[in-house]
Amino acid sequence: MDEQELISRSQSGDIQAFNDLVELYQRQVYNLALRMLGSAETAEDATQDTFVSAYRAIAGFRGGSFKAWILRIAANSC
């Protein structure tokens, strides 16, 4: 399944599709948070907060780069 399909399904309420997106991006989000925060534990919390925020906002995702969108949420979370 490609990223765009996962996004569309997530926007329709498919939790498994969103979980698949989490699996695709969790390492990148964590690495960004770790670089910004300098603490593994705090980075883990920020990563979790990022995906909770993204889940709540996925319906409003208007297209473009999902990676840029999720990393922006992560940076704001930090």
Side-chain angles (χ1 to χ4, degrees):
M1 191 174 319
D2 72 339
E3 180 182 274
Q4 188 56 48
E5 186 176 343
L6 290 173
I7 293 166
S8 294
R9 288 179 53 194
S10 295
Q11 289 174 320
S12 297
D14 184 335
I15 294 172
Q16 184 55 52
F18 187 79
N19 287 340
D20 291 344
L21 286 170
V22 170
E23 289 180 15
L24 284 174
Y25 289 101
Q26 67 185 354
R27 181 171 294 261
Q28 292 173 48
V29 168
Y30 173 78
N31 286 337
L32 173 68
L34 184 59
R35 283 192 307 272
M36 291 183 77
L37 300 169
S39 161
E41 185 176 320
T42 308
E44 289 169 5
D45 290 341
T47 299
Q48 184 174 9
D49 291 344
T50 296
F51 287 109
V52 169
S53 294
Y55 180 75
R56 291 180 179 151
I58 191 79
F61 178 70
R62 294 177 296 222
S65 172
F66 185 82
K67 178 181 177 180
W69 184 74
I70 197 74
L71 291 177
R72 172 56 53 201
I73 294 172
N76 290 343
S77 230
C78 291

